[in-house]
Amino acid sequence: MTKLGKAFENKKAFIAFITAGDPDLETTEKLIYEMVNNGVDLIEIGIPFSDPIAEGVVIQEADLRALENGATTEKIFDLVAKIRPNIDIPLVFMTYCNVIFGYGTEKFTSKCEEIGIDGLIVPDVPYEEKDELLPFCQKHHLELVSLVAPTSKDRITEIAKNADGFLYIVSSLGVTGVRSEIKTDIGEIVKAAKSASDIPCAVGFGISTPEQAEKMCSQADGIIIGSAIVRIIAKYGKDSVKPVGEYVRSIAEVCHKV
Amino acid sequence: MSKGRFGIHGGQYIPETLMNAVNDLEKEYNFYKNDEQFNKELTALYNEYAGRPSLLYYAEKMTNDLGGAKIYLKREDLNHTGSHKVNNALGQALLAKKMGKKRLIAETGAGQHGVATATVAALMGMECEIFMGKVDTERQALNVYRMELLGAKVHPVTSGTMTLKDAVNETFREWVSRIDDTHYVLGSVMGPHPFPTMVRDFQAVISKEIKSQILEKEGRLPDAVIACVGGGSNAIGAFYHFIDDKDVRLIGCEAAGRGVDTPENAATMANGRLGIFHGMKSYFCQDEFGQIAPVYSISAGLDYPGIGPEHAGLKDAGRAEYVPITDDEAVNAFEYLSRTEGIIPAIESSHAIAYALKLAPTLPKDKIIVINISGRGDKDVAAIARYRGVDIHD
């Protein structure tokens, strides 16, 4: 069992994303506890980046708010170090390559290990470039999550075979953000991945409603929701803890029933 | 080390969704670059449509005025659409057409690449959408209207600093959303492999011509080739066929804005450090946490926080030199060339002229300098007037 695999143990996993420091780090701390208490199985903590090219407007703006309000990699490390002893579920960082590289990849990954981060998701490091991070992740016991997309086709089996933690299935073309409909045949991608590996497969990009969550959970091992949560945070700011809790509970209930 | 490296620089740091698209592009490019028919068509477009070869002009008045090295100007400003950008736009559009793509998208800073892309899209009957920072749409309003005249749709980009880097972000986001029928005509020698190599190959026609023209006129190679660098496409084009000629100094002039020691500049080589962004490992202006720094230059085309990976490699190898030029120096050079030679250069190219103004007088008269005039300055006239406090109601 991998560290991230724990989220998928005996159930469909609900993975939630938030941008650290949006609207501020105190609220982020409360949001993480609230999400854990309402049934989230794994949390992706986004370290904001000035130029997040894989993100839609909702997360772009969250990154901007967080940076403007003074969030830095260092302060986010401090936050995780503080809350980690109270949290049982796996925690990963989601960020862009230059945030890691600019901090110093060895220093960044060693710090992650020290504070109890279990893995990394880095959308601008594809399979071909994984050596940029993988040796450091292995040294510091971090699981580097691989992504596959609707365009991956013949690449899926090779990526799945070498994937660690879980396989992140990008549901649709385009950037992150809420979508009314997911047209990709997720079942086909999962089938291709499973033919090469028994790694858990979680679907992200575009999921927001309990109906979508249920449908995706029936085709994969879990789901990832980011923009729909960040949108609530954008709307309620420091008062978003309760509405986010209610929202994630509604999704967790659906996922855990499937 | 992965594909498309220049020393440690380059690579393919992009979302998985785009990997098959860049792999296809690489495969098709590797086929067509050696295809006789493709090259015949591209040469015909260069010569019959874009007006190549561009002149290598002996700037006699400027030479005499400065009293040092002999100065030649490579007149990329005389190309159709008014800059070197058309070389790359024609090459990529022809390739995209061969690949069966129906739609071209591109980022633009000053608007020169946007205009070039819109132009070739019109010529080849392809759809065209251009992404341009909102700030740049304002300071280059004429080029926005020009692109629209050519049938392109221009999207003002309101994210981030609303300049070139944000236009690149937004064009990548658009490409990820629609790949099948769409080719991203990246405008400079940057981004993920194969773009830096492919764009360089299309721009290398500049140095190929300089070489044969200078041999014909002077019977020898120049002592220095000077070009401005933002992403670096005109510079790599002007340098490429001289890289193995070790006696030819290659000098890139980057935008120092209000000064390299001020917060307002875009001098990547002077102030940047190694990073990974926009698909490539190279030098970037960034803070201690790897956040990309807001940059500034009077020139919208040089207002970019990074530089193409081949330039980063040439710098590491000590083969090319990179010097910062301030807004003030560039504006003075803009006015100088206009008055002295009757040639109004782009404000981007004026950065290269500014360095030549410093270098030429220090060299003996038997030395030869080539300045790449990457574009013409009509688009900048209103901005220069504003800089000088003149209101011309543009």
Side-chain angles (χ1 to χ4, degrees), chain B residues 301-316:
Chain B
L302 304 183
D303 199 352
Y304 182 70
I307 190 162
E310 190 163 7
H311 284 292
L314 288 172
K315 186 192 184 212
D316 287 0

Side-chain angles (χ1 to χ4, degrees), chain A:
Chain A
M1 171 71 52
T2 63
K3 293 200 271 183
L4 305 187
K6 203 180 134 199
F8 298 84
E9 226 174 353
N10 305 319
K11 61 177 180 303
K12 301 288 182 177
F14 172 27
I15 299 169
F17 167 91
I18 55 167
T19 300
D22 170 34
D24 53 43
L25 289 161
E26 295 70 44
T27 310
T28 301
E29 178 178 345
K30 291 181 203 157
L31 283 165
I32 291 174
Y33 287 133
E34 184 75 8
M35 294 199 295
V36 173
N37 293 335
N38 282 287
V40 167
D41 302 303
L42 189 159
I43 297 177
E44 274 185 42
I45 301 169
I47 303 179
F49 182 48
S50 53
D51 295 85
I53 63 158
E55 312 297 342
V57 178
V58 170
I59 295 176
Q60 282 177 43
E61 288 177 352
D63 280 18
L64 214 62
R65 281 193 300 272
L67 291 171
E68 276 169 3
N69 292 338
T72 64
T73 307
E74 207 73 70
K75 290 181 191 167
I76 295 166
F77 283 152
D78 292 343
L79 169 68
V80 173
K82 180 180 161 200
I83 62 173
R84 178 75 266 197
N86 312 319
I87 294 175
D88 274 341
I89 63 169
L91 297 177
V92 303
F93 278 140
M94 199 283 349
T95 194
Y96 286 80
C97 192
N98 206 49
V99 170
I100 299 168
F101 188 80
Y103 189 87
T105 307
E106 165 59 26
K107 202 171 127 200
F108 185 97
T109 47
S110 118
K111 190 80 194 179
C112 286
E113 181 180 26
E114 183 193 319
I115 62 176
I117 284 288
D118 302 301
L120 296 179
I121 302 175
V122 189
D124 57 348
V125 176
Y127 184 74
E128 278 77 354
E129 299 291 356
K130 68 198 282 190
D131 281 350
E132 194 70 50
L133 300 175
L134 192 59
F136 299 93
C137 288
Q138 286 170 338
K139 179 174 167 200
H140 295 293
H141 308 101
L142 299 172
E143 292 165 16
L144 181 61
V145 172
S146 293
L147 293 89
V148 295
T151 50
S152 297
K153 294 178 183 139
D154 51 337
R155 298 165 53 81
I156 296 173
T157 51
E158 181 71 13
I159 292 172
K161 214 183 297 171
N162 294 285
D164 200 8
F166 69 91
L167 189 67
Y168 190 133
I169 299 177
V170 174
S171 76
S172 314
L173 293 183
V175 292
T176 56
V178 171
R179 287 170 171 77
S180 55
E181 195 188 353
I182 291 163
K183 294 180 184 132
T184 308
D185 188 345
I186 301 298
E188 276 297 302
I189 299 179
V190 173
K191 210 171 108 191
K194 297 283 183 187
S195 75
S197 158
D198 56 3
I199 191 155
C201 296
V203 186
F205 279 45
I207 302 171
S208 64
T209 66
E211 293 72 33
Q212 287 173 319
E214 187 172 7
K215 188 176 166 202
M216 289 298 135
C217 278
S218 69
Q219 298 177 38
D221 303 309
I223 57 153
I224 304 152
I225 294 187
S227 297
I229 297 170
V230 173
R231 206 165 52 170
I232 300 171
I233 300 168
K235 186 170 172 193
Y236 295 102
K238 291 180 190 193
D239 301 323
S240 59
V241 179
K242 210 170 144 241
V244 165
E246 284 162 10
Y247 172 73
V248 299
R249 176 185 292 272
S250 72
I251 299 291
E253 278 170 0
V254 171
C255 292
H256 296 156
K257 248 188 349 218
V258 175

